Structure formats: structure tokens, C-alpha cells
Amino acid sequence: MEPILQPEEISPAIELANRVLSQLDRILLGRAELHRLVLAGILSRGHILLEGLPGVGKTALVKTLGDLLGLQFKRVQFTPDLMPSDILGSHILQGDGDGRRAMEFHAGPVFTNLLLADEINRASPKTQSALLEAMQERSVTLLGATRQLPDPFFVLASQNPIELEGTYPLPEAQLDRFLFKLNVGGADVDTLDQIISTRRRGEAPMPEFVVSSGELHQLFAVMDRIYLPKAVSRYISRLVAATHADSPEATEEVKNYVAYGASPRAAIAMAEAARAFALLAGRPTVGFEDVKAVASPVLNHRLVLNYKAKFDGMNASSLIARLLSQLDETGIKLPRDVEIEK
Amino acid sequence: MKETSLPPTNSADHDLAIQIFLRRLTTLLTLKTWLMLATLWCFGWGAAALVLRASIATPRKPLLFGAVGFLFAAIAAYLIGRKQLPTQIAVRSMLDRQNDFGGLLMTAGEQPVGMWEPQLASINLPRLRWRSARAWGLLALSVAFTTICLLLPIKYVSVTSGRSLDVGKEAETLTAQIETLKEEQIITETKAEELKEKLDQLSAEAAGEDPAKTWEALDHLANSVEKAAKDAIASAATKQEQMEKAEALAEGLMSGSDQLDAQTMTEAMQTLSTMMQGAMKENEALANQLSPETQEAIKNGSLKPEQLKEIANALNQSKQKLNQQLSKLNQSGLNRGNINPNSLKSGASAQKRDNSGLSKFLKDHAQKMSVADAVNQWTEDGKNGNGKGNGPGQGGVSRGRGDAPMTWTEGSDEANAKFKEKALPPGSVADLQDSQLVGLSASAPEVQKGNLAAHGALNNSATGGGSAYTQTVLPKHKGAVKKYFERK
């Protein structure tokens, strides 16, 4: 078993992560918590789905992140007539000087480190599904040839709320491939005031530094050594299992409102995201609080609620919050009238 | 449970903190489980005690052994409490969470944490909260219930207490007897009321599960009544005898005063005065039937021959009243062999006795005995059937003349007498040890009117009015019955 990170090993990573965060906070105002989650997603090497109304800063966030991390960044504006080949690339018949012709592969925008899939739910499901293999296996297969995507590879997608006109809900299989779904809300008065007064035409300042590829891989290496204790691992498992209505630990809300619970991929994602949160907190080990911090963004897009939930106004976030409050992290079962004071 | 802070610096100290917490939790869970089990046991114990006491009248002492159940409850509570304990990993994770160690303490349980150890500088053991008011309240309630079940007097809990002993018939008889005694002024009204009150109380408290007690009390009351009657009968006999003698003398003097000399006549009149004084002293009613002059003459010993008829009549009427009283006592069952009812007839017949020969008898015996002795002999002989034979030609039917001595000749030779042995019929209860309890019955008792015990000591003794517990125990058998139950 690899020994846990010692303070001198983890401190450079923490310092770097905090610098990135401070830059994000400086460039994009009033989104500290969102930045923390996005960075955790990046450290976990996961894909992130940002949901929010137009103009709330989704694209700006992704662009800033790309600039800051020194990663190759490409943006695809998803539209209803966008085709899969527009994303993945296609083979084109090319002639050489000898008069011979051959099919040559022209890589699509997916071959990058950071892909911004802007307004992803405006494309048809066929095009949306083109990203399935890329997101899960970080490769693209065309005409029988599989090509690896650059490392690291992230998809940061933005989508308008699905109730808007001209949108297609993402299929569950694709949703499950996103580590987080983060809701980007509107800015408060102070933030708006600050934006207006400091940003001419809303242009964000450029980052003061760029994270090198080496530094980024060092961060990933530290991430890999963040220790997940067995009790926390057990808690994640119980939490994910409890999202299924037939689980013995499922709450009444889950039994009433959840049609399909979270997948094992959700448990993996939660463990990874919790590790990232522990790192951002400056710890070499994952605690229950890290799991609780990432539980909602990991699970909220993975729970398929039934019609009763819609009727009763129950959404995934409130259901997860209830689940977190009712499921004891330690699994200690004491008689009802005995409790451990917190 | 108090919050304590331990300064651990290595994994052994972490383990110690976990052990301390587990011990506290064990204590609390054991106590909690014990409270629950003890409460359940208490209710069960109380209910069982109530049922046992109500159904078979189990005494308290054996039931108190139920308290041992608390010990067993404690053992069971400890075992159950230990079973409810969380694992050490769970407790460690809980301590990690409570102390905000962010997984370090959990990791320390799995591998060395190296330089992070100082961050685990102190572990605050959390407080355990148990809302125990309800549990204690229920225990108190159950203890109260059990205490009440154990202490409640058996008469309130016994399901047999509703089966009262039917002593109506006996009570009715006794009431009639008391009434008779009151009417005949043998007992005062106050005494009669007192006896009736006792009888009523006895009838009301007659309990089926302890018939002997009731019967004994009834016997005691019956004895009191009988004693009063017995005294009255004895007194009546004395009065009757006195009056009979005085009457005989008065009638004798009336019919044959001319046969007596003056001295004997004077002595006879004096004797009559003395007799009348004694009789009047014993019987106040007699005086009421005499004129004041006669009463004065009796008192002064100056009776005149013309007053003899008044005296004789008064004596005769008093005797009749006395006979009526004795007859009533006999009819009410109060005369249990104290006087032979036939003697009442003889008393009645005595007034028809011819005392005209008494004057001659006095004259004949004037030199031999006093007038009083002569009258005694006259009346005694009359009782024996010889009185009528004193006169010539008036001898007894089979014994010759009245003054003829009785002779006992040609007696049978006892040595040669042959007696035929004859086995007596068995009693209804041949042997008390072989007898069976007849007092308990789950079904409604059958009423057998006029049912009389047919054999043995209970011959002709009346049973009660239908109660299953009715079994007359005669006073003379009480000793045997008592010994039988003591031996059991």
C-alpha cells in the first residue's frame, strides 16, 4: 500500500490549486463555489455540464479555464443541424502526386484537451451521442479506426434549461458521462455592479499566469495519491445504493419519486470528486464532508424521477439533500431515543 | 455522559478513545435494554401474580421470587446491548466526523499517517444522549402495577370471592330463635338486637372460599342463643317444681284441712307462705295474679284458708304460662335435650293430679317429717308414678302400691349372655383422609331442596340453600376437621 501523502508532498499541489482558484475568482466575479467545483471536476479528470440561462457566464468560465490551464481549447457551437462528423472529424478522399487517391482522416474539434460544447442541448440526439465514446473512453472510432484523444481530455458543456424552446434533452447515457452537472445561477447585485463598473463591454481580464502541462500532470499525480478510507468508501457506496427505490437504506422520498437511481459510474465519480475536494481542502485523506460537498452535483443529473416527483414539485437536488441528512455517514445504528451529540 | 478530551499521540491512544466510547455506549445500551426488559418483566410478573392470586390464592412469598427476573433481565440486557454495539471502524469514523479530522483518523486506523499525526492531537469523545424519561416512567408504572398486584388483599382480587356461602337457612332459624327468646323475655331487646346484628354481619361476610370460618362463627352464635335458652329452661324447671309443690300443698289444705290438727295446719300454712315467697321471687308474673292482701299475707306468713283457692289458681295459671313458654322453646328447636318434651305433658297433667290425699299424708307423717319434706316426698312420688298409689286401691298399674318398695330380683346372668355382633352401616365419610373436597365447583351449584344428609354424624342435619360450599360441620367434628387440614 502506498503511504499517504505527507505535508511536504501535498503542499505544492495545494498552493497551485489555490492559485488557479484565486485567478478564476479574480477573472469571473461572484462564482467562488462554482469555480471550486469546476476545478474539482478538472482535477478528477471528469466532464462537466454547466446549465444556466444564456448570458450567465458559462462560456466565459470554460474559456478562462482553458486559458489558465494552458490546454488546447476548442469550442463547438451546437446547433440543430450540426452533424457528428462536424465534431469527430471525417475521412476525405485525397489525391497524391502520383495520381493515387486515398481516404484521409481530418480530425474534428473533439481532438483537443478542452472541448467546449456550447449549448449542447441544441443539437439533435444523434449528434449529442457522437460524444459518447469520446467522453468515456477518450477515443474516437471512425471507419474501424480508433484514435486516442489528447491527454487530458475534458468536455465542458453548457446547456440551456431543457424547458427552453429548440432544445433536446440529453440522453441518460450521455448525462451519466458527465462528472458534474452544475447549475449556473444569476449574479447578485454586488457582483453585477462590480462587473459593470470594472469590465468594459464585459471583457474579462486575462489570467496572470498559465499552468504548465507538467504542473498539471503533477497535480493529477497528487490527486491519485489522495487516500480514500474504507469507511468513506463504504459511505459513498451506501449513498449511491440508497438512490435506488429498492435499497434497504432508501428514504421515503427516494421510494416515492425515483424511477432509476444512480449508476456505479456515479459512485466512481463521487469518489474521485471527493478526492479532489480533499486536495482543495489541503488534506491527504477524504472525509465525509468531501463526499457531502460533491454528492449533489454528482447525483442530480443521474437520478431519473418519476411523474409523481413532477406533480409534487420534487427535484433531484432537494431529494439528494434529504438523503444526505437522513443517511448516517458512519452506519452506526442506535436505538431511536439514543443519539450521539454532534 | 460527559464530553472528555484525550491527548492521544499514536494509534494506541486512538484505540483507547474508541474503547472508552464503546464502554460508555455498552453501559447506556445495557441500562436502556434492562429498563425495557425490566418493565416488560414487571408487567408480566404483576399480571401473573394477579392471576395466580385470583385463581388459586397463591401466597405472596413464593410470588416474591419473581424479583429474580430483574437479574436475568440484566444479563440479557448486557448481551443484547453488546450485540447492538457498532464496530470499531464505525466508531472511529464517527470520532473522525465529530472531530473534523477529514478522514485522517479513519486513515490512521488503516495505515500510518506519519507527519499528520499531530493533527490528531486530541480526540473529543462526543456525548451520548438518551431520552430516558419515558423508559423510567414506564418502569415506575410497571413497578407500581406489580406492587399493587402483590399487595392487594386477596379478597379484592380473588375471583372466588364472589361465591358467597349460603347460610340463609341457618340464619333464618337463628333469627326465629332469637325472636322467640325476645318474645319470651328470656333475653332483653338490646341483647336480641345485638345478636341479630351479628347474624346479619355474618350472613353478609359468609365467604365461599373459607366456609369453616363462617360455620364456626354461626356455631358460636347458635351456642350463645342456645345457652340463653338452656338457662331459661333450667330456670323454668325450677320454677315449675316450686310452683308444683306449692300448688299441691294449697290444694291438699283446701280439701282436707279438717283432717289436720291446729299445729300441723299452722306449720303447713307457714310452709306454704315460704314456698310462695320463693316462687314469687323466682316468678314475678305469679305475684301479679295474686291480690295485694294475699301477697301481704304471704309476706307476713299469715295466710288464711280462704286464700288457698286464689293461690292454687294463681299457681295453676303460672304453670300453664311456663308450660307454654317451654313449648315455644321446644318448637323453635332451642330445647336440645335439656328437658324432655314429655315432661311438659307430665307438668300439664300434674295440675290434674288429685292432691286431696295430701292432708291425710301430712297427718300420717306429722311426727316423722316436716310439712315441707312431706310435700317434697308427695310430689316426688307423684312424678315417679307412685303418687296416685298413696291412697288405698290407687296403686300403680304395674308396680303395685305407691309405697311398695321396688325390688330387683332374678337379674340376668351377664356372663352367659350372648351378644350378636352387628356391623354398623358406614358413615357418609368413611375416613376423612379418603374424603374429597366438595367445596369447589366451576359450574352453577344444583339446588336440592330439602336435601338432608342421610348417614353418619350428619344424619338429619340440613344442608344449605344450594351453595356448592354448603357442608354442615358439627361442632364435635371441628377438631377432626382442623387436624385433617393441618396435616395437609
Side-chain angles (χ1 to χ4, degrees), chain B residues 430-442:
Chain B
D431 190 344
L432 282 173
Q433 281 183 326
D434 299 331
S435 65
Q436 290 183 338
L437 183 63
V438 296
L440 292 175
S441 172

Side-chain angles (χ1 to χ4, degrees), chain B residues 136-150:
Chain B
W136 285 111
L138 280 173
L139 180 69
L141 191 68
S142 66
V143 168
F145 172 70
T146 308
T147 309
I148 289 169
C149 288
L150 287 170

Side-chain angles (χ1 to χ4, degrees), chain A residues 254-330:
Chain A
V254 169
K255 287 176 183 169
N256 285 334
Y257 300 126
V258 176
Y260 301 101
S263 64
R265 190 184 280 134
I268 296 164
M270 201 181 295
E272 287 305 310
R275 278 194 173 96
F277 247 75
L279 175 62
L280 293 177
R283 279 184 278 106
T285 54
V286 181
F288 294 121
E289 60 271 34
D290 302 320
V291 177
K292 287 188 160 186
V294 300
S296 184
V298 168
L299 293 174
N300 63 6
H301 57 293
R302 289 182 160 98
L303 300 185
V304 180
L305 306 186
N306 58 22
Y307 68 94
K308 272 175 69 181
K310 287 181 182 172
F311 288 156
D312 294 349
M314 178 67 72
N315 58 37
S317 296
S318 55
L319 200 141
I320 292 162
R322 298 283 282 275
L323 183 62
L324 288 172
S325 66
Q326 290 185 28
L327 191 72
D328 184 75
E329 304 96 313
T330 60

